[in-house]
């Protein structure tokens, strides 16, 4: 029977509805394409034969499916900017509407915006009201079509005659934000939340066989006193714009006079049972029975149960044994379907089905246990970013695309900043095995409910949304909001309600807390921020904390590694968000004459991000953390901190590269440093962080040290026993850095192979010759830093008085009058601390954070004589870490000449200033080489890369190739030197 009641699973099997000894295959669409129709028929005959064989011992009375009319599609539409619709009775059928619009969708994304420029400006003036936002102030800069409402929708539909004697429901899955509904000119009611669905029994206004004129007035403006919700669905932070519309499906549905109102499936994993909690509604004056079936992914009924619902009661519970039940997990997301039928007088009058998974996530001894085994949450943040639709679309394919991409990158967990995704999203997450933490729309403490009505509204919505989605196995945590660090007065009551109506999940009152909150009863685990604005987790103690905590710890909003945005994205935007940040950056690049170079800078920025991500995530896996939320997976508007861009295109890391350090099992390196001299021994440790994969014996670990394609050393260790308990030491490894013809990058590649999978990872090292500095020391004069005296012990010490003309180069941290005089007369100076003489900005290695501080990358002139022997790939990889950390970059635009950096600090996209770590200029008859690198600290800790680079700069400054092309007037520096 080809109908619309069921769907063919991806595996090719169909769900059977069984009557006696026959199997009825019910299918909503034939998903077999590209073959001859006769092949389709053979497939279905084979399916039917298998299903009949499976069902020979089963009997069941088929319950009628609820008749449903999907009202998705085209509706009449009319904007009401002057708010006259109610007075003029726009809910009447006779009133003309001037356009058509699609439901579900945001009206802004369909071109509905203010048509009167004065009304737009009046609205924007009221909205801004003196406030300064993070990005731009006016909505017309952030949306292609601005209109907050109200607007009116209308649809005419005929109620089927067959619905006689039943209840007719008009159902709305979601409206942003407030809805008033009329049916045939009669006011049906209002709804004041975009979070939850609502419905009306319309039988009093329209009868079966008659037309129903459905009119809906939607207002997107927030009235906190009525509806205090505020989250990422409302487009926070850099946007804060107002969009509106019927953004979820609208349906007409019929039920019997008694119907199944709610079905909650509680998996009891340790007991191997399933508990069905059933609620009925309507006429309860008769005794009824309920039958239940558990159906596996192949469509086979594997368990059954039944119960009696006594007269006057509405709730009952069934416990059904599932002794051979398969567990749901990210690696094996097995799903069952529970189908419940309500019976009266031996006949089915209503049925309800829901999918579920046998899974249990709990906390024990400071760890997460999924189905009794430790698990690490490899999470990312989802900030509800839909550039072209604005609203989350009611489209399974979109969520398949998004979640499949996240899964390809190795993620198993998604944290939704202050918003709940739609049903289609959760369905896909269930199928793909992505664990999910949706959050109640309470984005920040200043948006919390304050009055008793607001708090009551929040409590009701909190409970309603949990009931709505609690059957999805992908949801593992209920969260009350974002960064409510100190909690709030209503949290204990909301926690109690969540545990009462859903005891199967963890609950936290805030994503964002600190270790002082470890004993807070409303936190089942801790989500802590770890210095994310100033570290990329490289060789520091960023994620160190005591291992004695009773609760798991997850890193809150980890990373914030913001790259330059790719400007070609502009062409991918439609009628939704207006990418003002891309327009601004493009205009700035054109103004500064760097449009062509900008493309290269994006590539270099992405490469630095890839390095920061790898370093940071590996640091979490070596720590006592139980998970993290990488911020973000998808770029945010005005803040390109995603692993992929706004349209899910890869940036600096391919999915395969990213999975090397973001997977159930990852190889890790414990190394004190990455820069070495030739002949030095590096004492390393090779570890594995292993979750989800089963324990194994006889694993083999292989390692190779390469210089390009040349193998320098290799080895292996066999017979390893691998656990599934987290961090495990595999072997110590002592690497002797071989003598090489030149300084170069080396790569350590490691492979771990057992009978389950092969895991690989690799890390870069840099090896340098230890240059004999004394060859040129007698021509050098050293001022600051004093640590240079250790490198050049025979060098002259800079002091007061005139500098002799026989000095080859002066290395100093400040310019004196005497130094400038020496320079003007033809001397050579290497200035290592440009503060005071040039305009500078403190700079660290990691990429800029969301608030704009820090660099966007590094660009190195590899062919320049001063740098060609310094091993690099045209950008500052980790060999430059200690040189860049704590450095000062110099603003070259402030100079009276156009100067080009030898090593550029790529500036943030909002500024694109000409910044340098290293540059050279002629001054008078002399030559000046200026560096903002942190040589003082790097040399103090004996970093070989810093020592080697300094020696190359000194040799360059002494040599014949030191010939700056640009020139600074002596007078410019004379005003800035020490007197």
């Amino acid at each position: 029977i080809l109908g619309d009641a069921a769907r063919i699973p991806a595996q090719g099997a169909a769900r059977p509805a069984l009557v006696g000894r026959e199997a009825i295959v019910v299918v909503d669409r034939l998903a077999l394409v590209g073959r001859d129709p006769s092949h389709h028929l053979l497939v279905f005959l084979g399916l039917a034969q298998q299903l009949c064989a499976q069902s020979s011992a089963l009997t069941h009375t088929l319950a009628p499916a609820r008749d449903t009319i999907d009202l998705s599609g085209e509706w009449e539409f009319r904007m009401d900017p002057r708010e006259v619709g109610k007075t003029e009775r726009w809910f009447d059928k006779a009133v003309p509407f001037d356009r058509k619009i699609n439901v579900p969708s945001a009206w802004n994304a369909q071109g509905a915006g203010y048509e009167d420029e004065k009304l737009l400006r009046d609205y924007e003036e009221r909205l801004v009201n003196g406030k300064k936002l993070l990005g731009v102030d006016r909505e017309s800069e952030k949306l292609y079509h601005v209109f907050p409402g109200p607007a009116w929708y209308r649809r005419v539909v005929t109620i089927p005659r067959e619905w006689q004697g039943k209840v007719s429901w008009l159902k709305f899955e979601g409206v942003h934000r407030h809805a008033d509904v009329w049916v045939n000119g009669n006011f049906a009611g209002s709804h004041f939340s975009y979070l939850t669905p609502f419905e009306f029994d319309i039988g009093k206004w329209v009868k079966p066989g008659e037309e129903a004129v459905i009119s809906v007035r939607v207002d997107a403006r927030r009235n906190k006193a009525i509806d205090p919700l505020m989250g990422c669905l409302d487009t926070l932070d850099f946007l804060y714009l107002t969009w509106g519309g019927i953004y979820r499906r609208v349906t007409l549905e019929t039920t019997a006079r008694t119907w199944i109102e709610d079905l909650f499936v509680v998996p009891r994993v340790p007991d191997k049972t399933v508990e069905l909690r059933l609620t009925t509604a309507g006429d309860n004056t008769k005794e009824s029975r309920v039958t239940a079936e558990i159906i596996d992914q192949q469509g086979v009924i594997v368990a059954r149960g039944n119960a009696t619902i006594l007269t006057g009661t509405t709730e009952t519970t069934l416990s059904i044994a599932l002794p051979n039940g398969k567990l749901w997990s990210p690696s094996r997301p097995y799903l069952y379907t529970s189908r419940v039928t309500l019976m009266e007088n031996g006949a089915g009058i209503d049925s309800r089905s829901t999918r579920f998974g046998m899974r249990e996530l709990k906390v024990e001894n400071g760890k997460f246990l999924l189905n009794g085994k430790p698990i690490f949450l490899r999470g990312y943040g989802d900030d509800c970013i839909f550039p072209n639709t604005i609203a989350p679309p009611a489209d399974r394919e979109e969520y398949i695309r998004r979640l499949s991409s996240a899964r390809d990158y190795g993620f198993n967990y998604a944290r939704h900043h202050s918003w709940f995704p739609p049903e289609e999203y959760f369905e896909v997450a269930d199928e793909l095995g992505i664990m999910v933490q949706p959050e109640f729309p309470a984005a920040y403490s200043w948006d919390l409910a304050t009055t008793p009505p607001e708090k009551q509204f929040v409590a009701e919505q909190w409970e309603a949304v949990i009931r709505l989605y609690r059957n999805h196995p992908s949801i593992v945590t209920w969260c009350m909001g974002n960064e409510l660090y100190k909690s709030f007065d209503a949290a204990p009551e909301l926690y109690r309600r969540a545990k009462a109506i859903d005891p199967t999940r963890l609950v936290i009152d805030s994503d964002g807390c600190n270790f002082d909150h470890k004993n807070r009863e409303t936190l089942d685990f801790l989500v802590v921020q770890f210095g994310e604005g100033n570290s990329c987790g490289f060789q520091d103690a960023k994620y160190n904390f005591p291992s004695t905590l009773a609760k798991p710890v997850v890193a809150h909003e980890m990373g914030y590694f913001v790259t330059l945005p790719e400007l070609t994205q502009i062409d991918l935007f439609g009628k939704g968000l207006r990418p003002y940040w891309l327009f601004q950056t493009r205009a700035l690049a054109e103004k500064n004459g760097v449009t062509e170079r900008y493309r290269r800078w994006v590539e270099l920025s992405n490469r630095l991000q890839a390095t920061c991500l790898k370093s940071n995530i590996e640091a979490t896996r070596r720590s006592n953390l139980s998970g993290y939320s990488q911020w973000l997976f998808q770029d945010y508007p005005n803040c390109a901190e995603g692993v992929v861009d706004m349209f899910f295109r890869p940036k600096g890391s391919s999915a395969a590269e990213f999975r090397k350090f973001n997977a159930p099992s990852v190889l890790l390196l414990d190394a004190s440093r990455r820069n070495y001299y030739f002949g030095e021994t590096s004492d390393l440790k090779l570890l594995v962080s292993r979750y989800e994969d089963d324990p194994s014996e006889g694993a083999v670990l292989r390692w190779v040290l390469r210089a390009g394609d040349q193998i320098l050393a290799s080895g292996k260790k066999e017979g390893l026993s691998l656990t599934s308990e987290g961090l495990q030491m595999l072997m110590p490894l002592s690497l002797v850095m071989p003598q090489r013809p030149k300084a170069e990058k080396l790569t350590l590649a490691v492979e771990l192979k057992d009978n389950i999978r092969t895991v690989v990872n690799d890390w870069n090292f840099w090896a340098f010759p230890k240059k004999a500095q004394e060859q040129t020391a007698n021509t050098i004069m050293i001022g600051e830093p004093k640590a240079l005296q250790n490198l050049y012990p025979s060098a002259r010490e800079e002091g007061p008085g005139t500098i002799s003309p026989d000095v080859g180069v002066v290395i100093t941290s400040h310019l004196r009058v005497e130094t400038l005089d020496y320079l003007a007369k033809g001397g050579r100076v290497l200035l290592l601390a440009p503060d005071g003489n040039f305009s500078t900005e403190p700079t660290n290695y990691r990429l800029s954070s969301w608030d704009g501080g820090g660099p966007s990358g590094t660009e190195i002139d590899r062919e320049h004589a001063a740098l060609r022997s310094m091993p690099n790939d045209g950008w500052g990889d980790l060999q430059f870490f200690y040189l860049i950390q704590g450095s000062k970059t110099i603003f070259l635009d402030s100079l009276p000449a156009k100067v080009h950096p030898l090593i550029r600090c790529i500036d943030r996209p909002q500024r694109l200033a000409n910044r340098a770590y290293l540059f050279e200029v002629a001054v008078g008859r002399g030559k000046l080489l200026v560096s903002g690198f942190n040589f003082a600290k790097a040399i103090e800790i004996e970093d070989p890369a810093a020592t080697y680079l300094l020696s190359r700069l000194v040799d360059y400054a002494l040599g014949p190739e030191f010939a700056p092309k640009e020139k600074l007037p002596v007078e410019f520096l004379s005003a800035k030197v020490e007197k």
Side-chain angles (χ1 to χ4, degrees), residues 83-95:
E83 301 191 54
V84 297
K86 286 185 179 180
T87 304
E88 296 179 0
R89 299 179 61 84
W90 288 10
F91 45 81
D92 286 343
K93 183 180 180 181
V95 175

Side-chain angles (χ1 to χ4, degrees), residues 818-848:
E818 293 86 350
T819 315
L820 183 57
D821 182 64
Y822 161 79
L823 183 62
K825 292 177 180 178
R828 303 182 180 204
V829 175
L830 174 55
L831 181 63
L832 298 183
D835 283 4
N837 304 117
F838 298 92
S839 175
T840 64
E841 183 171 275
T843 309
N844 284 321
Y845 181 83
R846 56 154 290 151
L847 279 164
S848 172

Side-chain angles (χ1 to χ4, degrees), residues 352-367:
R352 186 157 179 166
S353 297
T354 187
R355 292 195 305 182
F356 70 95
M358 294 295 292
R359 68 105 185 87
E360 177 191 58
L361 182 69
K362 65 179 183 178
V363 167
E364 191 172 284
N365 298 323
K367 302 293 182 184

